[in-house]
Amino acid sequence: DVVMTQTPVSLSVSLGGQVSISCRSSQSLVHNNGNTYLSWYLQKPGQSPQLLIYKVSNRFSGISDRFSGSGSGTDFTLKISRVEPDDLGVYYCGQGTQYPLTFGSGTKLEIK
Amino acid sequence: QVKLLQSGAALVKPGASVKMSCKASGYTFTDYWVSWVKQSHGKSLEWIGEIYPNSGATNFNEKFKGKATLTVDKSTSTAYMELSRLTSEDSAIYYCTRISYWGQGVMVTVSS
């Protein structure tokens, strides 16, 4: 199985600040079809996960441009700029390139 | 809009089975794979498997083969997951998801 390693485990940021979350995979996430199926999700307290970013850098419908994804191969980053109170929660990366689909262990974002 | 409405929480005895539902609306049910994801208390996300409603084809995480059975009812646009031979390790929240859209989750508690 592809192991997804997220860092840091948690981070605290001031409102209006910027944060980066790293996600590394144990194998390349480049699919045979040339696509890289790396997604980012946010799980707000008491809610289901919601998709933020798909295929590394594509924002899902309705997602603010304050969220941006980048990376390639096995190394990926989610950046959140101008952090708002509603951004708090746990962020997960996930891969859909290889079965079984796997997720990182999560990064908890707290607002200072 | 796309919605995945899951059945209510379940309290089941060890050794028993539980079947949960996921009713889809707002899109053509037969066009998209539906995945099921487990989230144990305070932990990350585990992909159980997926089903393609049009054909009934399935893919499973090896870990959940023999534990989970996935079915659909195309006439009602509903996906089902049955978990068998339940133990305390199966106590968790279970989500159905199109990956881009997630149900609200079903809390399953296994207790005598």
Side-chain angles (χ1 to χ4, degrees):
Chain A
D1 297 2
V2 178
V3 176
M4 307 296 287
T5 302
Q6 275 184 248
T7 54
V9 173
S10 64
L11 69 167
S12 183
V13 62
S14 299
L15 294 176
Q18 178 174 297
V19 296
S20 291
I21 300 171
S22 171
C23 176
R24 288 186 172 172
S25 57
S26 61
Q27 301 171 39
S28 172
L29 297 186
V30 180
H31 193 275
N32 290 340
N33 64 15
N35 289 315
T36 300
Y37 296 101
L38 184 283
S39 300
W40 289 96
Y41 306 85
L42 165 60
Q43 187 171 32
K44 298 179 182 179
Q47 295 187 20
S48 307
Q50 61 179 102
L51 178 65
L52 300 174
I53 302 283
Y54 65 96
K55 287 197 284 185
V56 181
S57 59
N58 297 276
R59 276 185 296 276
F60 186 55
S61 174
I63 300 303
S64 168
D65 61 5
R66 298 184 299 103
F67 295 88
S68 63
S70 62
S72 63
T74 61
D75 216 334
F76 305 93
T77 301
L78 174 70
K79 288 186 180 176
I80 312 168
S81 60
R82 306 186 304 279
V83 169
E84 298 180 356
D86 196 44
D87 297 339
L88 74 89
V90 181
Y91 290 80
Y92 296 99
C93 60
Q95 67 83 21
T97 293
Q98 189 178 126
Y99 287 117
L101 279 62
T102 50
F103 299 88
S105 53
T107 296
K108 186 174 184 179
L109 178 66
E110 298 173 326
I111 309 297
K112 285 182 184 174
Chain B
Q1 69 278 32
V2 175
K3 286 188 178 179
L4 297 172
L5 183 62
Q6 297 187 244
S7 47
L11 173 61
V12 291
K13 295 190 185 312
S17 298
V18 66
K19 189 172 184 177
M20 61 193 76
S21 64
C22 171
K23 184 171 176 57
S25 61
Y27 73 98
T28 302
F29 179 61
T30 50
D31 284 353
Y32 295 86
W33 290 84
V34 174
S35 281
W36 292 85
V37 173
K38 176 183 181 182
Q39 186 170 40
S40 301
H41 181 66
K43 295 191 176 179
S44 186
L45 307 164
E46 278 188 289
W47 182 77
I48 296 169
E50 63 182 1
I51 186 165
Y52 189 58
N54 196 33
S55 63
T58 55
N59 293 300
F60 281 95
N61 186 334
E62 284 291 328
K63 179 179 177 180
F64 292 96
K65 282 184 176 178
K67 168 64 70 176
T69 302
L70 305 183
T71 56
V72 296
D73 181 343
K74 290 190 283 187
S75 69
T76 60
S77 298
T78 303
Y80 297 91
M81 179 172 71
E82 183 170 19
L83 301 173
S84 61
R85 298 182 302 279
L86 292 167
T87 72
S88 58
E89 295 296 308
D90 298 313
S91 293
I93 296 175
Y94 293 88
Y95 296 100
C96 65
T97 173
R98 248 186 57 184
I99 299 302
S100 44
Y101 298 94
W102 293 65
Q104 82 276 21
V106 173
M107 182 175 289
V108 173
T109 303
V110 182
S111 174
S112 54

